[in-house]
Amino acid sequence: MLHLHLSIPKSLITCQSKARSKVEAMSTEFGLAVLRAAEFCDSFNLSKESSKPRCLPLLCNGVQVGLLRPDIMKCLLQFNEVFEPVRGVDGEIKQVRLCDKLKTIEERSSALHRLFLLLRQQHAFPCLKGWRDEVYAVSDVFGGQDYFHCERAAAKLIGVRKYGVHINGYFYNEVGSLVMWIGKRSILKPKYPGLLDNIAAGGIRMGLGALDTLLHECREEASIPEEMAVKSKPVGALTYCHESVDGIEPETIFIYDLELPRDFVPRPHDGEVEEFQLWTVEKVKQEVASGKFKPNCILVISNFLIRHGLITADKDPMYERLTGVGHVDLFRLFTYPGNLCNGLS
């Protein structure tokens, strides 16, 4: 039997070791950035300063539709023509509900609209400075019965569920490597100005579905024509609950993957995006690690890379933790029929 004895230069071993160490370091930095983004997005559940133990449910027609923080609840209960407390046998407030005299969607929506306009004029809450004249339909589940409509800027005050869509725009280049189109948010955006973003994304407004919103955002933000955008594939959802000084935001993001033609170049249209850049996966991971992305977009990108086999269990020691990011059971935050008497007797 012939035995071959190969002598591998130490310099080559050193180079390979350094390259491997660099890749491992980047994977760790990327993973830590994802976990930090998850902690930020899901601060209501993960932050030590969370008001979660002290929050109370907001009910409408016997169904929980929101969450109220004590400081916000104290203000809103001053308006007893809109909100009323529900007390337990011990006399303590256990829940808050919209007044029963507000019988219809229109009556509830109108009463809330007038109240939030008044609070805006009184400078009661900073978030109302960002009034957008954009209305959300409020329900206890996506596509369910509407209970009322709420101005987007006020939604976090009463902790109602929000929904949005995010689109991953990508293709495989001539050598078979996956590359992604990344947008840079306009410096004039009121939230997260100048940060990096997915190719298109947006909140689902009243009267629109997920696909309607996808088509609208693709057209308005990236000039993607409808015949191209409709090829987007729904690939799941991410969920989290963010708490800030303004209130509570339980949010569900519906995710879509859109494989674009190699010769297509997205162009800003409505001014919300400053520019688009085409990056390799390595470049995307570097920029995520540098903290230049909008936090929830980091979760979307991590999810995308996992699903496309670009982050794997064998190659990334943080894989197991990353797979659990952005999958919060929001239904556990809401009390549904059958449990509505908890704490009342």
Side-chain angles (χ1 to χ4, degrees), residues 30-40 46 299 318 321-322 325:
F30 171 83
L32 290 174
V34 174
L35 295 180
R36 284 194 296 270
E39 289 178 358
F40 176 85
L46 300 178
L299 307 189
M318 301 184 74
R321 293 190 68 184
L322 296 183
V325 162

Side-chain angles (χ1 to χ4, degrees), residues 7-166:
S7 178
I8 301 175
K10 289 184 179 180
S11 59
L12 178 58
I13 295 175
T14 301
C15 288
Q16 290 175 337
S17 178
K18 287 182 177 179
R20 185 165 57 250
S21 297
K22 186 176 181 181
V23 170
E24 290 173 352
M26 176 50 63
S27 294
T28 299
E29 290 174 12
F30 171 83
L32 290 174
V34 174
L35 295 180
R36 284 194 296 270
E39 289 178 358
F40 176 85
C41 291
D42 196 35
S43 56
F44 185 69
N45 291 303
L46 300 178
S47 172
K48 294 179 181 179
E49 289 77 37
S50 171
S51 66
K52 183 177 179 179
R54 296 175 286 116
C55 285
L56 294 180
L58 172 65
L59 306 184
C60 181
N61 278 7
V63 175
Q64 184 181 352
V65 294
L67 288 161
L68 290 177
R69 205 166 60 193
D71 57 319
I72 297 173
M73 178 185 71
K74 182 178 179 181
C75 174
L76 296 182
L77 283 177
Q78 297 178 59
F79 302 91
N80 55 18
E81 72 280 6
V82 182
F83 295 100
E84 56 189 12
V86 180
R87 299 182 184 274
V89 294
D90 58 0
E92 294 294 320
I93 299 175
K94 305 297 184 181
Q95 300 166 342
V96 175
R97 67 188 177 201
L98 287 172
C99 289
D100 287 341
K101 68 179 182 180
L102 301 173
K103 300 294 185 184
T104 66
I105 294 175
E106 291 74 18
E107 289 174 344
R108 298 179 202 119
S109 303
S110 179
L112 286 167
H113 184 75
R114 290 193 303 269
L115 171 56
F116 290 136
L117 277 177
L118 175 63
L119 293 174
R120 180 192 181 196
Q121 293 168 1
Q122 295 176 345
H123 307 288
F125 298 105
C127 63
L128 297 179
K129 294 179 181 178
W131 196 277
R132 304 179 65 155
D133 286 319
E134 187 175 318
V135 178
Y136 283 158
V138 175
S139 181
D140 58 331
V141 64
F142 185 72
Q145 174 188 344
D146 288 357
Y147 290 99
F148 55 87
H149 304 144
C150 179
E151 157 63 31
R152 176 174 177 172
K156 61 192 72 175
L157 292 176
I158 54 177
V160 295
R161 296 188 65 172
K162 295 170 52 181
Y163 299 89
V165 299
H166 280 237

Side-chain angles (χ1 to χ4, degrees), residues 19 24 29 118 182 210 214 226 230 258 289 316 329:
E24 290 173 352
E29 290 174 12
L118 175 63
I182 300 298
L214 178 149
E226 182 171 330
V230 293
L258 176 57
D316 197 315
D329 186 357

Side-chain angles (χ1 to χ4, degrees), residues 312-337:
T312 63
D314 289 334
K315 295 182 180 180
D316 197 315
M318 301 184 74
Y319 176 83
E320 188 175 6
R321 293 190 68 184
L322 296 183
T323 57
V325 162
H327 298 292
V328 176
D329 186 357
L330 294 180
F331 291 97
R332 289 184 178 273
L333 296 179
F334 287 75
T335 306
Y336 285 84

